Amino acid sequence: GIRDIGVTGVQTCALPILVAAGNTAFRATDGILLDAGGTVLVQAPAGRTSIVVPAGVVELATYSFMGCEKLASLTIPEGVARIGYQTFNVCTSLTSLVLPATYEGGLSADSYQGCSSLVSIGVSPANPWYTSVAGSLYNKAVTELYAVPTGLTTLVVPSGVTAIGYAAASGVRLATIALPASLRRIDARAFARSEEHTSELQSRQYL
């Protein structure tokens, strides 16, 4: 039986995904492909407009929702801790993400390239590591910016923020950016592919 699927092996498959009985590498729940243990979401069917991540999933794998252009509603339950690289790329109908209290890391703008409608990344108030300010993802102390939604056109980084993380606003076509006097570090690719402001930001990396 099949034991390995390439990262784009069932990408853009609109139909529910089924796994034959006896397959020891994968299983399916509600048409969603999971690893055998049910802890990694491997691939979501691209035709869905609404998806609830199955209970027991801990990780949303790289590319697992890529190309789900009709997906407008996504529920990420408690228990999910990690989100892979380019997980939500080209989910053009998705307007918001809400991360659970158990979320530990992995999300950056590289996780949702091409999500032109995404304007908000929320976080459960019970999450001990992260919080959301004006739709963007910060650490709990609001001293580092981790992820800016690709649909935002204005970014006002709060006073007290000292760092902008790796690829935090990569590909985000911002029309207005306001950086605080407290900012001391801008990590690699923080504003990559944000062509309109690259030259300005390079001259303002350390304030």
Side-chain angles (χ1 to χ4, degrees):
I2 295 173
R3 294 183 176 275
D4 182 66
I5 297 176
V7 291
T8 59
V10 289
Q11 189 183 62
T12 72
C13 176
L15 300 175
I17 300 168
L18 305 177
V19 177
N23 187 297
T24 59
F26 299 100
R27 59 192 265 192
T29 299
D30 190 29
I32 299 168
L33 184 65
L34 311 175
D35 72 335
T39 60
V40 179
L41 193 155
V42 178
Q43 185 67 53
R48 298 276 181 88
T49 60
S50 177
I51 290 178
V52 177
V53 173
V57 169
V58 174
E59 178 180 355
L60 307 183
T62 295
Y63 303 117
S64 54
F65 288 85
M66 187 172 182
C68 292
E69 296 180 354
K70 297 180 180 180
L71 183 64
S73 174
L74 175 65
T75 301
I76 304 175
E78 295 299 329
V80 172
R82 297 180 297 278
I83 294 176
Y85 175 71
Q86 296 189 352
T87 297
F88 303 108
N89 280 18
V90 203
C91 290
T92 53
S93 299
L94 194 63
T95 59
S96 66
L97 289 171
V98 179
L99 305 175
T102 50
Y103 169 74
E104 297 177 358
L107 191 74
S108 73
D110 277 346
S111 302
Y112 44 80
Q113 290 296 304
C115 293
S116 54
S117 300
L118 186 67
V119 294
S120 176
I121 300 170
V123 188
S124 166
N127 189 295
W129 302 288
Y130 299 94
T131 191
S132 178
V133 177
S136 293
L137 183 66
Y138 292 81
N139 66 338
K140 197 71 170 182
V142 195
T143 58
E144 183 164 356
L145 171 61
Y146 288 119
V148 179
T150 44
L152 286 188
T153 57
T154 298
L155 175 63
V156 179
V157 180
S159 177
V161 171
T162 59
I164 297 177
Y166 176 84
S170 174
V172 182
R173 299 303 300 270
L174 295 166
T176 304
I177 304 172
L179 304 178
S182 56
L183 188 64
R184 294 292 178 269
R185 191 187 86 235
I186 297 178
D187 287 347
R189 301 191 66 252
F191 293 94
R193 299 193 300 277
S194 298
E195 297 90 349
E196 294 176 358
H197 295 280
T198 299
S199 59
E200 175 191 353
L201 290 164
Q202 285 176 344
S203 68
R204 298 173 60 187
Q205 285 187 3
Y206 300 96
L207 305 179

